[in-house]
Amino acid sequence: DIRMTQSPASLSASLGETVNIECLASEDIYSDLAWYQQKPGKSPQLLIYNANSLQNGVPSRFSGSGSGTQYSLKINSLQSEDVATYFCQQYNNYPLTFGSGTKLEIK
Amino acid sequence: QVTLKESGPGILQPSHTLSLTCSFSGFSLSTYGMGVSWIRQPSGKGLEWLASIWWNGNTYNNPSLKSRLTVSKDTSNNQAFLKVTSVDTADTATYYCAHTRFHWFAYWGQGTLVTVSS
């Protein structure tokens, strides 16, 4: 199985700041990576696929980058509605696997 | 507009079989490239992919659950199904179904909480 190591586990930032969340795959996943946002009590929502493609309707302050085994999600100009837990997911190989999540709070 | 909704028993006893239904609209599981996946999440924890079924009938299961999973579909009625045999307390979680293309999950249901308890 491909292991996805996500960091940090939690993050506190101020409104308007830029935050980065990292995801490290245990082997090359060739940009087969998605990012999800899960707000408290809600279902996850797709933000990014193919490592850097923005899902329709997702604000442009979200962006993804990376290649090989290292990937990141960047949130520019942090807003209060961005409080959530963020997960990465690889789909290069079965079984499909997720990172353990990053809980983002406002300072 | 794609929507999905899970339904299940809510609570069941250990060793019993869990049966879940995903009712969806806005796409067809007979269309090339379409799939439905099942993902679960214990309260306060992370996401675990369980299984996927595709337009052509192909299925993929998470081997961590060994042979306990069966996924199927009813294309005519826009439904997908998941069965989990021999449940125990570790299977207590919110279970989601999700529209799947290219192996990422673009649309999710609201989830259904399943509690395994005697």
Side-chain angles (χ1 to χ4, degrees):
Chain A
D1 298 6
I2 298 175
R3 180 175 176 82
M4 305 301 293
T5 303
Q6 198 173 328
S7 62
S10 62
L11 180 55
S12 183
S14 301
L15 294 175
E17 266 193 55
T18 294
V19 300
N20 282 283
I21 298 169
E22 310 290 329
C23 210
L24 177 67
S26 59
E27 61 187 76
D28 194 329
I29 57 170
Y30 302 95
S31 297
D32 291 337
L33 185 99
W35 289 97
Y36 301 88
Q37 175 193 65
Q38 186 177 30
K39 296 184 179 181
K42 300 294 186 182
S43 306
Q45 288 195 307
L46 177 67
L47 298 174
I48 302 283
Y49 59 93
N50 290 345
N52 59 16
S53 296
L54 195 67
Q55 171 69 349
N56 288 343
V58 174
S60 58
R61 63 178 183 277
F62 291 91
S63 63
S65 63
S67 62
T69 62
Q70 299 187 34
Y71 299 86
S72 62
L73 174 70
K74 182 178 179 180
I75 310 173
N76 286 317
S77 189
L78 190 66
Q79 307 290 306
S80 57
E81 60 262 34
D82 299 334
V83 168
T85 300
Y86 294 83
F87 295 94
C88 60
Q89 177 234 334
Q90 69 80 22
Y91 47 88
N92 182 251
N93 211 344
Y94 283 106
L96 309 179
T97 49
F98 291 88
S100 54
T102 295
K103 187 173 183 180
L104 175 59
E105 298 175 332
I106 302 297
K107 198 181 289 183
Chain B
Q1 180 189 2
V2 173
T3 64
L4 305 99
K5 186 172 184 179
E6 308 85 351
S7 58
I11 186 166
L12 74 164
Q13 293 183 339
S15 80
H16 287 204
T17 294
L18 169 63
S19 295
L20 297 171
T21 299
C22 176
S23 301
F24 56 85
S25 62
F27 69 100
S28 173
L29 257 182
S30 62
T31 301
Y32 179 87
M34 293 296 176
V36 168
S37 298
W38 291 92
I39 300 116
R40 71 181 179 182
Q41 184 175 38
S43 179
K45 297 191 177 180
L47 299 163
E48 179 181 32
W49 170 78
L50 299 177
S52 298
I53 186 164
W54 295 95
W55 84 101
N56 58 3
N58 285 351
T59 62
Y60 298 87
N61 294 349
N62 194 324
S64 70
L65 279 86
K66 297 184 172 61
S67 56
R68 296 173 55 214
L69 298 177
T70 303
V71 61
S72 59
K73 63 184 173 84
D74 178 348
T75 303
S76 300
N77 289 305
N78 284 344
Q79 291 182 316
F81 310 98
L82 178 72
K83 287 190 189 299
V84 185
T85 60
S86 303
V87 298
D88 67 13
T89 54
D91 295 308
T92 294
T94 295
Y95 286 73
Y96 297 100
C97 62
H99 169 281
T100 308
R101 281 197 75 187
F102 309 110
H103 303 283
W104 62 79
F105 313 119
Y107 303 94
W108 296 61
Q110 64 188 27
T112 186
L113 176 62
V114 174
T115 302
V116 180
S117 175
S118 54

